[in-house]
Amino acid sequence: MAGRIKTSFHARVLVALLAMCGVLVGTFIVFQYMREKQFKTEMLNAQLQIYNNGILDNLESGESIYSIVARTDKPVDGLRMTLVDADGNVVYDNNDSTPFPAANHNNRPEVMKAREEGVGYVVERWSESDETDYFYSATLGDDGMVMRSAVPYDHSLKTVLSADVTFLWIMLAITAVVCIVGYFVTRNISKSITRLNNFAEKAERGERIFDDDAFPHDELGSIASHIVRLYVQRDRQHKELVRQEREKIAMKKRLTDNINHELKTPAASILVCADLLRDHPELPEAKRMEFMDRIHSNARRLSLLLNDVSTLTRMDEGAEEITKEPVDLSQLVKDVVDDERVRTTMEITIDVPPLKIEGNRQLLESIFRNLIGNAIAYSGGTKIEVRADSDGNFVVKDDGTGIPEVHLEHIFERFYRIDKGRSREAGGTGLGLAIVKNAVAMHGGDIKAVNDHGLRFDFKLKT
């Protein structure tokens, strides 16, 4: 690979998930904190506004501010009260420890807001008169007087106005739970991604891949396992196709070599006989006829060999190259047997029920001609039996000597001969049983040979 990933997918996803969770929880905490603080501030302001309104109502009835303050309970300890007239002058202040305020108070934020909206408050503002932070709450009266209450903004008030830390701990606990769950969820996702990544690296390097690795039982794991299984299946299919192609190439090479070998003998014999006839015209007629018979016999052998090679080549090209049509098997077997009876003294019996098959007539004929022909040429017996059942299971059997067990598994190989000299004398090409095997396979069946008081071939044709 060009560059290996340094940080694992699991770590990156987990960090991203935790970051999003942190931002979400942090935002919610800040929002809730500000909301709770605002609520407590407004509650305190409402309490002070009630107190301010009470004093203003009593003032309007003509009672003195001093007597009102003296008999009225303060809602908060340490409460500082200031009465401001319409011109901004302080007409009353209960803070005896500092000089009486002389500055114009209409420029104070809480007073300005009260004159604009009727009420106003400031959470924390520095007082120049006594150099203390206060929470100010101001209320406008009907006569333009403003009653202002101020609570020292000390530690106790800060505590009252602060948000409940219990909520913060609950949110932190929820965050921890989310992180733990997120870790296990992302770990399962990461397993699938990591294994897919390892699979891709192995595939790139051409290493062998197995499909027995377990993936997590989730959608991603299912997809990942399907991908790996599909690749493994395709890889096996590809290797099988490559193997088959190599076998086909090797088979064609062996076939070519065997054909060259098989052609040499009849070709050489034809050439020698032709040369003798050409160079010795004085040969007796009987000798000339002998050479002519040899030429004819070897030419016929060449013709049979080329026909068999052509048939095998067509079958090697595939079933799609073979045309098929409805064939009456019982009639086909009868026609083949009638032809073979002419050239043998062996008794041939038929027991084939009416059977019809979708197949290639020429290849089907070659099955029975080769099997019956082999029995006639090589069995040494006196009887040949051809029988079948209604499911297309066929038996072709002779009562001859059979063949040695060591040869049984090889007799369907191309150019395989048990007795090479005897086979050539009988005019065989060594391709007959190979043609039979391929022809049976192209009609949906298989064939085997066994010794059964002679040689018996069992095969099935798909009906």
Side-chain angles (χ1 to χ4, degrees):
M1 296 177 63
R4 182 172 292 277
I5 301 172
K6 295 181 179 180
T7 306
S8 68
F9 177 81
H10 181 207
R12 298 198 306 275
V13 173
L14 182 60
V15 169
L17 178 63
L18 295 182
M20 289 189 293
C21 181
V23 171
L24 180 63
V25 171
T27 303
F28 190 74
I29 289 176
V30 171
F31 171 77
Q32 185 65 20
Y33 175 83
M34 297 302 295
R35 182 182 178 186
E36 187 175 350
K37 185 175 181 180
Q38 179 69 19
F39 173 76
K40 290 183 177 182
T41 300
E42 290 178 354
M43 288 290 293
L44 177 60
N45 179 59
Q47 188 178 8
L48 295 177
Q49 288 291 331
I50 293 172
Y51 180 74
N52 292 341
N53 280 319
I55 293 177
L56 289 172
D57 288 343
N58 289 323
L59 283 173
E60 290 179 1
S61 66
E63 189 177 354
S64 168
I65 182 66
Y66 294 97
S67 63
I68 296 172
V69 172
R71 66 177 177 77
T72 305
D73 293 333
K74 298 180 180 62
V76 179
D77 292 336
L79 184 67
R80 180 180 177 183
M81 294 169 289
T82 306
L83 184 63
V84 182
D85 63 14
D87 296 327
N89 299 313
V90 176
V91 297
Y92 172 78
D93 190 281
N94 70 338
N95 187 3
D96 298 331
S97 62
T98 61
F100 192 80
N104 189 326
H105 277 52
N106 278 342
N107 61 354
R108 301 297 194 263
E110 66 278 2
V111 176
M112 293 174 61
K113 194 169 184 181
R115 293 195 182 282
E116 292 175 0
E117 302 178 5
V119 295
Y121 72 88
V122 174
V123 174
E124 183 179 3
R125 186 174 65 78
W126 176 260
S127 173
E128 296 178 359
S129 60
D130 60 1
E131 299 182 345
T132 303
D133 285 328
Y134 284 96
F135 177 93
Y136 291 100
S137 177
T139 307
L140 178 65
D142 293 337
D143 55 358
M145 300 291 284
V146 173
M147 186 64 204
R148 186 184 71 174
S149 300
V151 181
Y153 201 80
D154 55 12
H155 177 72
S156 60
L157 181 59
K158 290 180 181 178
T159 302
V160 170
L161 296 182
S162 64
D164 187 0
V165 294
T166 304
F167 171 77
L168 176 62
W169 287 113
I170 292 174
M171 291 304 299
L172 290 177
I174 293 175
T175 302
V177 172
V178 170
C179 292
I180 294 172
V181 173
Y183 170 79
F184 288 104
V185 171
T186 54
R187 187 182 66 171
N188 283 339
I189 296 175
S190 177
K191 284 182 180 179
S192 299
I193 298 297
T194 301
R195 288 174 184 169
L196 271 179
N197 184 57
N198 294 336
F199 153 73
E201 290 180 354
K202 288 183 179 181
E204 185 179 16
R205 294 193 298 264
E207 296 180 7
R208 189 174 181 183
I209 297 174
F210 301 93
D211 59 351
D212 54 357
D213 286 343
F215 284 89
H217 297 291
D218 53 25
E219 289 80 358
L220 185 58
S222 177
I223 292 173
S225 61
H226 283 314
I227 292 174
V228 173
R229 282 198 299 269
L230 180 61
Y231 177 86
V232 171
Q233 291 173 3
R234 292 292 180 87
D235 185 57
R236 288 173 180 170
Q237 291 174 358
H238 174 71
K239 289 180 179 178
E240 179 62 21
L241 290 175
V242 171
R243 185 191 65 79
Q244 292 178 1
E245 187 63 26
R246 288 177 178 172
E247 285 187 356
K248 187 179 291 186
I249 292 173
M251 185 182 296
K252 287 183 177 180
K253 186 177 184 304
R254 289 195 302 269
L255 179 61
T256 302
D257 292 341
N258 287 330
I259 290 173
N260 289 335
H261 178 75
E262 293 294 327
L263 288 175
K264 286 180 181 179
T265 300
S269 179
I270 291 173
L271 184 60
V272 168
C273 292
D275 287 344
L276 288 173
L277 290 173
R278 183 193 62 186
D279 296 338
H280 299 279
E282 73 283 359
L283 287 173
E285 187 64 23
K287 202 65 174 177
R288 291 174 63 84
M289 288 304 299
E290 179 185 346
F291 289 150
M292 291 293 290
D293 288 342
R294 288 184 182 178
I295 292 175
H296 180 269
S297 174
N298 283 284
R300 182 175 179 278
R301 181 180 169 192
L302 284 175
S303 177
L304 292 174
L305 178 62
L306 293 175
N307 285 336
D308 286 350
V309 169
S310 175
T311 300
L312 276 175
T313 301
R314 282 197 305 141
M315 286 191 287
D316 286 341
E317 294 299 326
E320 64 276 2
E321 302 293 331
I322 306 296
T323 59
K324 293 183 178 181
E325 60 183 355
V327 178
D328 186 340
L329 279 179
S330 56
Q331 185 61 46
L332 182 144
V333 172
K334 182 178 181 303
D335 293 341
V336 171
V337 170
D338 288 343
D339 290 341
E340 296 299 323
R341 280 173 176 158
V342 175
R343 66 185 190 90
T344 184
T345 57
M346 294 180 70
E347 179 185 351
I348 305 176
T349 59
I350 307 173
D351 183 13
V352 179
L355 286 173
K356 289 193 176 181
I357 184 176
E358 191 75 17
N360 182 273
R361 177 175 291 275
Q362 181 181 354
L363 293 181
L364 291 170
E365 284 186 1
S366 69
I367 295 173
F368 296 99
R369 288 191 187 278
N370 278 295
L371 293 179
I372 296 173
N374 274 6
I376 293 173
Y378 308 119
S379 71
T382 59
K383 294 181 180 179
I384 301 173
E385 179 184 357
V386 181
R387 66 176 186 270
D389 59 23
S390 57
D391 294 326
N393 296 299
F394 281 83
V395 174
V396 177
K397 180 183 180 306
D398 61 61
D399 62 348
T401 58
I403 61 175
E405 292 290 333
V406 68
H407 295 294
L408 278 177
E409 59 179 314
H410 300 292
I411 61 175
F412 294 105
E413 296 175 6
R414 300 176 184 191
F415 293 107
Y416 186 85
R417 290 189 176 91
I418 298 172
D419 185 342
K420 296 184 179 180
R422 184 184 175 196
S423 297
R424 288 197 176 95
E425 288 176 4
T429 64
L431 296 175
L433 291 182
I435 291 174
V436 169
K437 181 179 179 180
N438 281 272
V440 170
M442 285 200 165
H443 289 85
D446 54 11
I447 186 170
K448 65 178 181 178
V450 295
N451 285 313
D452 180 18
H453 304 290
L455 187 60
R456 190 184 81 229
F457 290 92
D458 299 326
F459 60 95
K460 179 179 177 59
L461 299 176
K462 188 177 180 180
T463 56

